[in-house]
Amino acid sequence: METLPSHITLAHGNGGYYMRQLIEQLFAKHLANPILNLAADAATLPPINGVPMVTVDGFTVQPLEFPGGNIGSLAVHGSVNDLAVAGGRARYLTLSAIIEEGLPMAQLQRVITTLATTANDAGVQVVCGDTKVVPRGEGSGLYLTTTAIGERVCEQPLGMTNIQVGDTILVSGPVGDHGTAVMLAREQFGLSGELQSDVANVYPLCDALYKLPGLRFLRDPTRGGLATVLHEIQQATKLGIWLQQQAIPLRERVATLCEILGYDPYYLACEGRVVAVLDNQQADAALARWQALPQGEEAAIIGVVTNEPQRVVLETELGGERVLEELADDPLPRIC
Amino acid sequence: METLPSHITLAHGNGGYYMRQLIEQLFAKHLANPILNLAADAATLPPINGVPMVTVDGFTVQPLEFPGGNIGSLAVHGSVNDLAVAGGRARYLTLSAIIEEGLPMAQLQRVITTLATTANDAGVQVVCGDTKVVPRGEGSGLYLTTTAIGERVCEQPLGMTNIQVGDTILVSGPVGDHGTAVMLAREQFGLSGELQSDVANVYPLCDALYKLPGLRFLRDPTRGGLATVLHEIQQATKLGIWLQQQAIPLRERVATLCEILGYDPYYLACEGRVVAVLDNQQADAALARWQALPQGEEAAIIGVVTNEPQRVVLETELGGERVLEELADDPLPRIC
């Protein structure tokens, strides 16, 4: 079989020789595992222990590569994390790639290599995949979709409807890093490149709280950021959210950049953080568990669930109050 | 909540108000079932009976709607069928939609309505979903990805490596209907519109053969058509494939159109047909089972697996021989 050409062509999507070459020499080469079978139409999985859980996520981030990660690491963590905050451990991934004609093969290789390493580190196997090629000008390089399949680990029920007045709200680390890193990569502002996406597997953070009594709800604040998660809670519970601005971890670089460019960091995506809501009696225990993990060193208690007002309110450092409204226009599209 | 606007905007993908509106008023409205939970990050499934199976497929068909179906029916059948030919019955689907800014809301509604009806008819539930919106000019209306999860039904091992010299090859109905229907819809040739895609659930056809002794292999000939499936068999087995051209079911309209436009119908996609390879002792029994089904009335025995030559050879109606080469350039891209 020939070596791969320098760029993706439409023939890589036609089911014939070139598609077979792309799958064998790129996708299967990096993603190989005992379950993935190129000759089969479907994967046969080992029995799932306990209650099966599943989630799906599409990824359209632009640019495809950014400080701290690329669309490949995002596609693994996005689905693994959605299962984790729902109380489940991902075991298997399915992968769909919609590739634009003209994508440099070297870039696709970097992305798929990262995806493979990330999956391996997270303990998940890519068990089946599909590739399609769309004509130049009908994509933006690469769109990925992953479905994560696993089993329930958390024995407590998790959900917004469990949330009660007086509950405490925690976040596992600084917010807005991913959104800011992607924005910098996109706009090439010429600013410091030390800002990195926080894209990471949040399963260890979630697992640290699964057995803590009084845990009500976990969520990774991705699209729409911290403010959007809190809004969803407010709308589902009809309660209020009261936040202490000075308690919310925020990197100085992110704060400065947002100030210069007019973004509100509380609406910017994180890809490796968790928001937890739990009984206030357990807040200190939860914080201690998180701070004991490398990923949770900067975790903080940031607010409380109130009866009134039925809004998301930020108490500013100077003692003022600012209402965080529901996101309408998109401040920063395509960050995941 | 407001009513949906006439077209998709970038704000429908931002995680905030408009995305919630789109999901509640369109996706969840049509796809509602007891497992789908908009407030959760992941779906919790009932226990899977037996051996779990999974498959994934991406859909980029252009145009989105064509005689006999649309990208919604294709996205359900594509994954349900991949599981069926691998010996499994699909129970659950995950759905990812990558929507282009500017897509008419009415068209999205037609597609999702069809998808919901098709899933219902096939006995599968959409258990979780994700939507992303990409800017105008970076998509082509709508890309869908579905993952089907189910359980193994066929107790015989199925696979190309089981195929032996002397085995019989069957096809469940006329080939090339889907490819031709999409081509007509795309090009608006002004030719007769009576040609329809064969897009359909092939599970009943597969299930009819699961218990037949000597069944070796099933495959739905989608991208690359019948010829590509036979090529994959040839390459996997290093045996030969000998076909009787006059035995291969082909609608006269498809044949005529292919002749006029210079396409080879054996390379055009089907979306509701099955190719079966089985012990020649069982060929008549298999044919009878298929012909007893509404979808299999035009089923036929089309060829045999040989030792030599190690190629896919078509014996023409006049007694000549034509080698069907492996597909390289794409005759008709984006048909699924």
Side-chain angles (χ1 to χ4, degrees):
Chain A
M1 197 166 241
E2 301 165 30
T3 57
L4 287 169
S6 64
H7 292 78
I8 290 285
T9 68
L10 280 176
H12 285 113
N14 71 356
Y17 175 84
Y18 291 106
M19 189 174 96
R20 194 160 57 86
Q21 186 200 24
L22 178 69
I23 290 173
E24 287 178 9
Q25 292 186 22
L26 203 159
F27 285 90
K29 182 179 159 194
H30 295 295
L31 300 171
N33 65 64
I35 299 175
L36 184 68
N37 177 357
L38 297 195
D41 291 284
T44 300
L45 304 181
I48 290 169
N49 300 317
V51 178
M53 294 187 75
V54 60
T55 190
V56 61
D57 223 344
F59 301 89
T60 63
V61 67
Q62 206 41 237
L64 301 177
E65 300 171 280
F66 46 81
N70 62 36
I71 191 171
S73 52
L74 205 58
V76 172
H77 287 137
S79 286
V80 167
N81 290 352
D82 276 356
L83 223 55
V85 295
R89 171 155 204 162
R91 299 287 181 189
Y92 311 108
L93 286 184
T94 74
L95 174 67
S96 154
I98 296 176
I99 314 171
E100 187 186 11
E101 179 189 12
L103 181 72
M105 197 65 76
Q107 188 171 30
L108 184 60
Q109 269 167 328
R110 286 195 300 275
V111 166
I112 300 304
T113 307
T114 301
L115 191 151
T117 310
T118 309
N120 194 53
D121 291 348
V124 294
Q125 290 174 304
V126 176
V127 293
C128 54
D130 183 70
T131 57
K132 292 284 184 300
V133 178
V134 295
R136 207 180 290 267
E138 300 190 13
S140 59
L142 180 64
Y143 298 138
L144 297 178
T145 292
T146 54
T147 287
I149 302 168
E151 76 268 355
R152 182 188 280 161
V153 175
C154 182
E155 288 169 14
Q156 304 189 69
L158 297 177
M160 289 185 190
T161 51
N162 304 319
I163 293 172
Q164 297 169 25
V165 172
D167 282 354
T168 301
I169 303 164
L170 284 85
V171 68
S172 67
V175 299
D177 291 10
H178 177 73
T180 319
V182 171
M183 178 169 61
L184 282 178
R186 190 182 301 170
E187 305 293 351
Q188 305 181 315
F189 284 117
L191 300 168
S192 156
E194 286 170 46
L195 242 170
Q196 291 224 329
S197 165
D198 56 309
V199 61
N201 179 1
V202 303
Y203 181 80
L205 290 164
C206 297
D207 186 46
L209 304 191
Y210 286 155
K211 292 199 170 120
L212 197 70
L215 177 65
R216 320 275 198 218
F217 174 74
L218 297 168
R219 174 65 59 86
D220 51 333
T222 57
R223 265 188 291 185
L226 175 67
T228 296
V229 172
L230 298 175
H231 257 287
E232 286 183 41
I233 294 173
Q234 196 282 313
Q235 278 158 0
T237 60
K238 306 294 175 202
L239 299 173
I241 305 286
W242 193 269
L243 300 170
Q244 298 288 333
Q245 182 169 24
Q246 65 195 60
I248 303 174
L250 184 66
R251 296 195 195 285
E252 207 182 312
R253 281 199 195 85
V254 172
T256 306
L257 197 70
C258 284
E259 213 171 287
I260 294 171
L261 299 172
Y263 288 106
D264 185 334
Y266 307 124
Y267 292 89
L268 295 187
C270 309
E271 291 289 345
R273 307 294 177 217
V274 181
V275 174
V277 184
L278 71 169
D279 183 345
N280 63 7
Q281 299 291 315
Q282 300 292 337
D284 291 337
L287 186 64
R289 287 184 186 198
W290 272 2
Q291 288 180 337
L293 295 172
Q295 261 183 274
E297 283 173 0
E298 295 173 76
I301 292 172
I302 61 168
V304 63
V305 179
T306 60
N307 216 335
E308 295 279 342
Q310 291 177 14
R311 318 206 68 164
V312 179
V313 181
L314 189 73
E315 188 179 326
T316 66
E317 292 176 34
L318 302 172
E321 290 173 20
R322 180 155 76 88
V323 173
L324 297 182
E325 300 291 352
E326 185 176 13
L327 193 61
D329 283 334
D330 201 346
L332 193 62
R334 319 255 329 265
I335 41 66
C336 63
Chain B
M1 198 165 238
E2 301 164 31
T3 56
L4 286 169
S6 64
H7 291 77
I8 290 286
T9 68
L10 280 177
H12 284 114
N14 71 357
Y17 174 85
Y18 291 106
M19 190 174 97
R20 194 160 55 87
Q21 187 200 24
L22 177 70
I23 290 173
E24 287 178 9
Q25 293 185 24
L26 202 159
F27 285 90
K29 183 180 158 191
H30 295 295
L31 299 172
N33 66 62
I35 299 175
L36 185 67
N37 177 358
L38 297 194
D41 290 285
T44 300
L45 304 181
I48 290 169
N49 300 317
V51 178
M53 293 186 76
V54 60
T55 189
V56 62
D57 222 344
F59 301 88
T60 63
V61 67
Q62 212 31 243
L64 301 177
E65 299 171 282
F66 46 81
N70 62 36
I71 191 172
S73 52
L74 205 58
V76 172
H77 288 137
S79 286
V80 167
N81 291 352
D82 276 355
L83 223 54
V85 296
R89 169 152 205 164
R91 299 288 180 188
Y92 310 107
L93 285 183
T94 73
L95 174 67
S96 154
I98 295 176
I99 314 171
E100 188 187 10
E101 178 189 13
L103 181 71
M105 198 64 76
Q107 188 171 29
L108 184 60
Q109 269 167 329
R110 287 196 300 275
V111 166
I112 300 304
T113 307
T114 302
L115 190 151
T117 311
T118 309
N120 195 53
D121 291 349
V124 294
Q125 291 174 303
V126 177
V127 293
C128 53
D130 183 70
T131 57
K132 291 284 186 300
V133 178
V134 294
R136 207 182 291 268
E138 300 190 14
S140 61
L142 181 64
Y143 299 138
L144 296 178
T145 293
T146 54
T147 288
I149 302 168
E151 77 267 357
R152 182 188 281 162
V153 175
C154 182
E155 288 169 12
Q156 304 189 68
L158 297 177
M160 288 185 191
T161 50
N162 303 318
I163 293 172
Q164 298 170 22
V165 173
D167 282 352
T168 301
I169 303 164
L170 284 85
V171 69
S172 66
V175 299
D177 290 9
H178 177 73
T180 319
V182 170
M183 177 169 62
L184 283 176
R186 189 182 300 169
E187 305 292 351
Q188 303 179 316
F189 283 118
L191 299 167
S192 157
E194 286 170 47
L195 244 171
Q196 293 224 326
S197 165
D198 57 308
V199 60
N201 180 0
V202 303
Y203 181 79
L205 290 164
C206 296
D207 186 46
L209 304 191
Y210 286 156
K211 293 196 171 124
L212 197 70
L215 177 65
R216 319 273 198 220
F217 174 74
L218 297 169
R219 173 66 58 87
D220 51 334
T222 58
R223 263 187 293 185
L226 175 66
T228 297
V229 172
L230 299 175
H231 257 286
E232 287 184 39
I233 294 172
Q234 195 281 314
Q235 279 159 358
T237 60
K238 306 292 174 205
L239 298 174
I241 305 286
W242 192 270
L243 300 169
Q244 297 289 332
Q245 181 168 27
Q246 65 195 57
I248 303 174
L250 184 67
R251 294 195 197 287
E252 207 183 313
R253 281 198 196 86
V254 173
T256 306
L257 198 70
C258 283
E259 212 173 291
I260 294 171
L261 299 173
Y263 289 106
D264 185 334
Y266 307 125
Y267 292 89
L268 295 187
C270 309
E271 290 290 345
R273 307 293 178 218
V274 181
V275 174
V277 184
L278 70 170
D279 183 343
N280 63 7
Q281 299 292 316
Q282 299 293 337
D284 292 337
L287 186 65
R289 288 184 187 200
W290 272 2
Q291 288 179 338
L293 295 171
Q295 263 183 271
E297 283 173 1
E298 296 172 76
I301 292 172
I302 61 168
V304 64
V305 179
T306 59
N307 215 337
E308 296 278 341
Q310 291 175 15
R311 317 207 69 164
V312 179
V313 181
L314 189 72
E315 188 179 324
T316 66
E317 292 175 35
L318 302 172
E321 290 172 20
R322 179 155 77 87
V323 173
L324 298 181
E325 299 292 352
E326 184 176 15
L327 193 60
D329 283 333
D330 200 346
L332 193 62
R334 318 262 318 271
I335 43 66
C336 63

